[in-house]
Amino acid sequence: MSALPSNRDENWKYANLRALARVRFGDTAVPSAQDVSTLAETLPDLPQGNARVVLVDGHLAAGVSPPTRGVHFGSTPQDIATLESSSGSGPAADRYFAMLNQRHAPGTLSIEVPSGAELDLELWLAATRVGHPSVRIRLGEGARLRLAERVVATPAAAALASNLHLAIDCEANARLELTRVQMFTAAHQHIETLDLRLGKAAECYLTQITSGGHSSRSSSFVTHSGGASRLHWNVAMLARQTQVHDVYVRIAHDANEAHTVQRFRGIGMERSRLAFNGHMQVAAGTRDVRTEQSLKGLLAGGEAEIDLRPQLEIHADAVQAAHGATLGKLDADMLFYLLSRGIPPAQAESLLKWAFISDVLRHVPTQAVRRQVEVLLADLLPGSASARAEVA
Amino acid sequence: MLEIKDLRTRVGGREVLGGLNLTVNKGEVHAIMGPNGSGKSTLAYTLAGRPGYDVTGGTVTYRGNDLLALAPEERAQEGVFLGFQYPVEIPGVNNVYLLKAALNAARKHRGLPEVDAFEFLTLVREKMKVMQMDEAFLSRGVNEGFSGGEKKRNEILQMLVLEPSLALLDETDSGLDIDALKVVANGVNTLRSPERSIVLVTHYQRLLDYIKPDYVHVLARGRIIKSGGPDLARELEARGYDWVIAEAA
């Protein structure tokens, strides 16, 4: 097994490893019936036609996960932690937590969408103590999956940690709409490894909203392997107090005409820290690959810190690669404009933060999902009643 | 309505307004004209409370109270409206929300309940007809992707919805073609009433062909150096500003 990463590792410079080092990532106990019952009460009604599956600390909560065709929970395959982007393995430290997950996960949730089939699924990842959720998704040719992933936690728990491994394989012409909402409770430390492979002409629209918690680290490894595949990777993060959120995404374009659009919008408030490291790779011998990277940070606290790192590693000639990273404070002209209309300062600032984040939200492909995310996000911003009114 | 006495404003360490005096009574329309850099926009921003426009002397009394003691949003809630020369774009905040939030902020300030959604939309649609604006503008981001003329119409739409007591319109005519100018002027004229006052900052006489001012003032080097009736604007159009500045020297 590889070594525990340290802040000297290039891809882990900003992660809150000191806090993670204090977590005892051992095997996970089966959650108590009381915890599952408490959790069940917090779950919203399931929209008609949708399916739901709930993992509690990595264990299947069968009582609140109605049986769904193609979805089953079983032993963890021994190959998934070692899935790598085919363009290079990268530093061994990047796989440490995936390996840890494989060792300790109580099982793996397998989601199979057969060729030509469609599935709408809610995936709830609940944390009550320390857990290792393991999820493997496979979309057959032309399959379509709308997956809404939500992280929830027992609010009263003193210390929580989750180490998620999510492995996704999209065959030719498959389409995945993955909406990830991670609203952590104060004590929650979350670490995750995401492996994604896109086959020929496959499409993936990923939107992720992360907020709250103690700290989080997300490592993603994406491979365009089949040609003419499309990836829209949109992440919005809000951090307050002393929270630390750190994201590393490596996207390997190993096939012709692969196209990636990546947007990151991060708001750092108070003394929080945010880091986004977006690493685009274009393999030698490919042609007509397109990448667009837009990383923006908003410093909304006197001692907040945001680190944005767009990286391009291009080994081919016929490539279109655009990237930009900007970091700034609330726009003084916009703020004055709102104030001059009588809007109180707290509400005006909240609106501008909303506007900043909405750049990510507007790209959620399904309107119903977009509205759900908007309502959840409105709760996070000061003056949320007003922001909610905007989306109501 | 508004009484400005010996107003001095510094911007970026430089004194731009150097002892400006102006009285605007209820129901009056005043046009402020003057060469570039004379302090016209500075006057508008100072009255609206823009940060960075530091008042170093003088007083501004608005409806009997010290306007300078109020924060920008309080001035707006008290009925002061600034129509921007260059309205900013705010993608992600839609027009209808801004209008509603602004209206509700003013109503809350006056101790009134929030506006009913149906009543609000009826009001906005009525005002949009005056401004000949398509309802699609409501769901767009504030000024996002608007042409120069559309931005100016949007400013006046906001003014019509908020019904301010004192409107400060900073070069509302700039960048407008003649048809848009008529629409904007019609919007401003709709607001005229014995209870409201309007201060128009402009470079050109042509706006005053459509919005008839009661008084015209020439602002130069941070002070009002000449005041007169509507004829003064026509004379300025014909002769320029040099003769007024020479006369005042």
Side-chain angles (χ1 to χ4, degrees), chain A residues 333 337 341-342 347 351 355 386, chain B residues 50 77 82 91 97 105 155 158:
Chain A
D333 290 337
Y337 190 85
R341 298 301 179 248
Q347 189 183 353
L351 272 176
S386 307
Chain B
R50 184 169 193 142
Q77 291 161 6
L82 171 63
Y97 177 70
E155 292 292 285
Q158 291 175 17

Side-chain angles (χ1 to χ4, degrees), chain B residues 187-248:
Chain B
V188 174
N189 286 328
T190 303
L191 192 78
R192 286 182 85 153
S193 87
E195 295 304 311
R196 297 199 179 91
S197 307
I198 298 170
V199 176
L200 292 170
V201 171
T202 184
H203 268 296
Y204 304 108
Q205 151 67 26
R206 64 171 195 164
L207 176 67
L208 307 183
D209 287 338
Y210 301 101
I211 305 171
K212 301 291 184 194
D214 298 297
Y215 298 95
V216 174
H217 309 277
V218 179
L219 182 58
R221 296 183 188 135
R223 305 177 69 170
I224 288 178
I225 57 171
K226 190 174 182 67
S227 297
D231 289 346
L232 176 57
R234 281 188 279 276
E235 196 171 359
L236 291 168
E237 185 81 358
R239 298 174 61 192
Y241 292 109
D242 289 348
W243 66 276
V244 191
I245 293 169
E247 203 175 75

Side-chain angles (χ1 to χ4, degrees), chain B residues 62-63 74-80 102-113 115 123 161-165 196:
Chain B
Y62 167 67
R63 296 204 299 194
E74 292 170 328
R75 298 180 197 201
Q77 291 161 6
E78 283 285 334
V80 177
L103 184 59
N104 280 331
R107 288 175 67 90
K108 187 178 177 187
H109 184 71
R110 295 199 294 267
L112 298 171
V115 65
L123 171 74
V161 169
L162 295 175
E163 298 186 327
S165 301
R196 297 199 179 91

Side-chain angles (χ1 to χ4, degrees), chain A residues 166-303:
Chain A
L166 181 57
I168 305 170
D169 200 355
C170 297
E171 296 293 346
N173 297 303
R175 179 184 168 101
L176 170 65
E177 294 176 18
L178 174 56
T179 307
R180 316 185 74 205
V181 180
Q182 303 174 326
M183 296 194 179
F184 303 118
T185 53
H188 200 154
Q189 293 186 65
H190 179 81
I191 190 153
E192 64 180 32
T193 309
L194 191 160
D195 292 298
L196 169 64
R197 188 191 71 83
L198 294 171
K200 187 176 181 183
E203 294 177 288
C204 173
Y205 296 85
L206 179 146
T207 306
Q208 180 175 327
I209 310 292
T210 299
S211 175
H214 180 280
S215 58
S216 76
R217 157 72 187 200
S218 176
S219 307
S220 297
F221 306 95
V222 183
T223 307
H224 288 271
S225 64
S229 47
R230 294 176 65 88
L231 173 66
H232 283 248
W233 190 276
N234 296 303
V235 176
M237 288 189 156
L238 290 87
R240 288 202 176 86
Q241 299 167 342
T242 56
Q243 294 159 6
V244 180
H245 295 300
D246 173 40
V247 181
Y248 172 71
V249 186
R250 190 177 73 212
I251 301 172
H253 302 78
D254 289 358
N256 297 337
E257 299 176 42
H259 184 195
T260 296
V261 179
Q262 184 178 61
R263 290 182 196 85
F264 171 77
R265 301 291 180 265
I267 301 179
M269 293 173 265
E270 299 163 26
R271 297 170 57 200
S272 59
R273 277 172 50 203
L274 289 174
F276 189 94
N277 185 347
H279 185 177
M280 299 279 194
Q281 295 176 318
V282 181
T286 57
R287 60 174 168 73
D288 298 330
V289 167
R290 283 196 295 152
T291 70
E292 301 163 47
Q293 230 179 348
S294 167
L295 316 180
K296 293 183 182 177
L298 179 63
L299 288 162
E303 295 178 64

Side-chain angles (χ1 to χ4, degrees), chain A residues 330-347:
Chain A
L330 285 174
D331 186 289
D333 290 337
M334 291 185 188
L335 187 60
F336 176 65
Y337 190 85
L338 296 177
L339 296 177
S340 78
R341 298 301 179 248
I343 295 174
Q347 189 183 353

Side-chain angles (χ1 to χ4, degrees), chain A residues 104-125:
Chain A
H104 295 291
T108 290
L109 178 73
S110 174
I111 301 167
E112 293 265 347
V113 187
S115 296
E118 286 193 26
L119 179 63
D120 282 281
L121 181 68
E122 288 184 9
L123 170 61
W124 290 77
L125 302 172

